[in-house]
Amino acid sequence: ERATALVQDGDLLIVDGGSGVVVINPEDSDIILYQERKLRLQKYKSSIARMSHLPAETPDGHRIFINANIEFLEEVTAAKDYGGEGIGLYRTEFLYLRGKGFPEEEELFEDYREVVEIMQPAPVSIRTLDLGGDKFASEIAISEENNPALGLRAIRFCLREPEIFKTQLRAILRASAFGKLRLMFPMISGLQELLEAKAILDQVRDDLTREHIPFDNAMKVGIMVEIPSAVVMADILAHHVDFFSIGTNDLIQYALAIDRVNEHVAYMYQPFHPAILRMIQQVVAAARNAGIQVSLCGEMAGDPLCISILLGIGLDGLSMNARAIPLVKKMVRAIPMLQARSDLQKIMLLNTAKEVRTYILQQTRKIFPELEERGYLLN
């Protein structure tokens, strides 16, 4: 909060994103130190990037799929370059926000088709429109609300505006004819919302069939599990979808009653909270019992300290910012699944986020001592 009082125009700054430190008008010795650290980090990233196209398989043979999150068509190339095995989350809001009014079906279709064709034969998971909350603000989307994170957003908005929803669903279905495309609905809170969304999807399928427009009639349909009620109902929801994708960014926010953009309570945003780990474990168990796939696409997926935990829980895939993929793959290839499961058993007996983080930090340091030097591990 005091940054503008401490920093003047023209000051030289060093920003250390690893430790969260900002150095104002550093001494020459500090500049040299940080330049050397930056060079070492760049060399380390280059070394692990050379192995980023290898499969993410543990030393004892357990395979997990590592995908990329994207927001724009232009990010697809980077996703492939960094070793992404597919697109685990395509956030589709950009085309709705870059101009006035909603995009036409043809514009959406061309965008989705190009993403699918570039990634072919790898899978692409498209999340339907998620406007509102803390993610986006636009005059075309949702009127001002006192508490937008709990208001008219995502699937709620789409169900209230079915014509807008149908336009996007038509574009997604049409693009499914050009590659391996999967669709997922965001912010599902229970079965009724899911059934309503699927009913509209069925209507669009029928319309395209009558119009003789090709699409993949076997396209997989899933949901984002990011509301605590969906976790509780996961065993029921699992029988109505083809896959789950756990969105931990919102799940943590809603489960812990934390506004993740409020700097006064941001410190309470704890991915290592035992309640969050139990929720993820519960969703994975429900998916296993129903015979469907389950992945995780929140920030936890790309956090080096979370990889062993997520491996141990038994997720089928992780999806993250493309730049995080090389390190995550390196870690997966170094952590035996038996070790991850053994660590998880101990972690699930711990009672606080601090205890969990302390334990996993110690374990990670043993296997990857170089991560601390490179600024990947925070005390």
Side-chain angles (χ1 to χ4, degrees):
E1 295 181 338
R2 298 179 59 241
T4 54
L6 297 173
V7 181
Q8 306 300 319
D9 286 348
D11 282 351
L12 177 65
L13 304 179
I14 295 176
V15 180
D16 184 346
S19 64
V21 168
V22 176
V23 183
I24 305 171
N25 291 322
E27 301 288 339
D28 289 345
S29 58
D30 289 329
I31 294 174
I32 294 171
L33 173 67
Y34 276 97
Q35 285 177 334
E36 290 174 347
R37 287 181 57 186
K38 182 178 180 181
L39 183 60
R40 289 198 301 270
L41 178 60
Q42 289 173 337
K43 287 182 177 178
Y44 182 70
K45 286 183 174 180
S46 296
S47 69
I48 61 177
R50 287 193 289 270
M51 302 177 63
S52 64
H53 290 276
L54 296 174
E57 185 174 307
T58 64
D60 47 359
H62 180 81
R63 182 79 162 87
I64 186 171
F65 292 93
I66 306 298
N67 298 320
N69 298 339
I70 65 169
E71 293 186 49
F72 318 108
L73 170 63
E74 292 75 16
E75 294 176 303
V76 178
T77 301
K80 296 185 72 173
D81 289 345
Y82 281 105
E85 298 170 279
I87 302 299
L89 170 61
Y90 183 15
R91 303 179 178 98
T92 58
E93 291 74 29
F94 175 69
L95 292 178
Y96 290 82
L97 299 173
R98 67 179 184 181
K100 293 184 178 180
F102 290 97
E104 299 293 332
E105 176 186 329
E106 204 62 29
E107 181 183 4
L108 296 173
F109 163 66
E110 290 295 339
D111 183 272
Y112 304 158
R113 178 185 58 78
E114 192 164 352
V115 172
V116 171
E117 287 184 333
I118 293 173
M119 290 303 300
Q120 179 78 320
V124 174
S125 296
I126 290 186
R127 182 183 71 186
T128 59
L129 190 59
D130 186 2
L131 285 172
D134 66 322
K135 298 178 181 178
F136 305 96
S138 171
E139 62 182 4
I140 67 170
I142 302 169
S143 59
E144 187 174 341
E145 297 179 303
N146 290 331
N147 196 339
L150 301 179
L152 185 65
R153 56 169 289 202
I155 199 66
R156 302 170 182 180
F157 173 75
C158 290
L159 292 178
R160 199 188 77 164
E161 303 289 344
E163 293 309 311
I164 295 172
F165 194 27
K166 286 180 179 179
T167 297
Q168 184 181 32
L169 293 178
R170 282 180 62 93
I172 292 172
L173 279 169
R174 289 174 59 195
S176 71
F178 295 86
K180 192 174 182 181
L181 185 58
R182 310 195 313 171
L183 176 152
M184 53 190 180
F185 300 120
M187 207 177 175
I188 294 294
S189 64
L191 183 58
Q192 187 59 44
E193 276 177 334
L194 174 58
L195 294 178
E196 291 176 12
K198 290 183 69 175
I200 294 175
L201 179 61
D202 286 340
Q203 292 174 21
V204 174
R205 282 195 182 107
D206 292 342
D207 290 342
L208 292 177
T209 299
R210 282 194 299 271
E211 297 168 31
H212 303 290
I213 296 176
F215 64 92
D216 179 10
N217 201 38
M219 180 186 71
K220 292 186 181 299
V221 177
I223 63 168
M224 299 282 295
V225 179
E226 50 194 346
I227 297 180
S229 61
V231 175
V232 176
M233 295 294 291
D235 59 329
I236 303 298
L237 294 169
H239 293 287
H240 296 268
V241 293
D242 299 308
F243 65 94
F244 283 155
S245 183
I246 304 173
T248 50
N249 295 355
D250 273 332
L251 182 59
I252 295 170
Q253 172 175 245
Y254 293 131
L256 302 183
I258 299 299
D259 181 354
R260 56 187 170 130
V261 297
N262 184 329
E263 60 189 283
H264 299 291
V265 294
Y267 70 95
M268 298 177 67
Y269 186 83
Q270 294 285 354
F272 296 108
H273 196 295
I276 301 302
L277 302 184
R278 292 183 185 192
M279 284 182 167
I280 296 172
Q281 201 171 41
Q282 183 176 340
V283 175
V284 172
R288 290 283 168 269
N289 290 335
I292 65 171
Q293 288 191 331
V294 55
S295 61
L296 186 144
C297 65
E299 290 299 316
M300 283 183 72
D303 185 339
L305 284 182
C306 294
I307 302 308
S308 178
I309 295 175
L310 299 178
L311 266 178
I313 289 176
L315 289 148
D316 295 305
L318 302 174
S319 190
M320 63 204 68
N321 182 297
R323 292 180 180 271
I325 290 175
L327 179 58
V328 169
K329 279 194 170 186
K330 175 182 173 65
M331 296 187 71
V332 169
R333 292 175 60 82
I335 301 173
M337 190 63 175
L338 287 176
Q339 180 64 51
R341 287 172 176 161
S342 174
D343 284 340
L344 182 68
Q345 289 179 344
K346 297 171 185 175
I347 287 169
M348 298 309 291
L349 297 175
L350 301 177
N351 298 317
T352 68
K354 184 177 181 180
E355 291 174 342
V356 172
R357 196 178 190 284
T358 298
Y359 178 85
I360 200 64
L361 185 59
Q362 292 172 348
Q363 296 300 100
T364 305
R365 280 173 172 154
K366 292 177 185 177
I367 306 174
F368 304 98
E370 74 273 15
L371 294 186
E372 190 132 46
E373 181 187 352
R374 304 295 184 259
Y376 284 104
L377 303 183
L378 307 182
N379 291 312

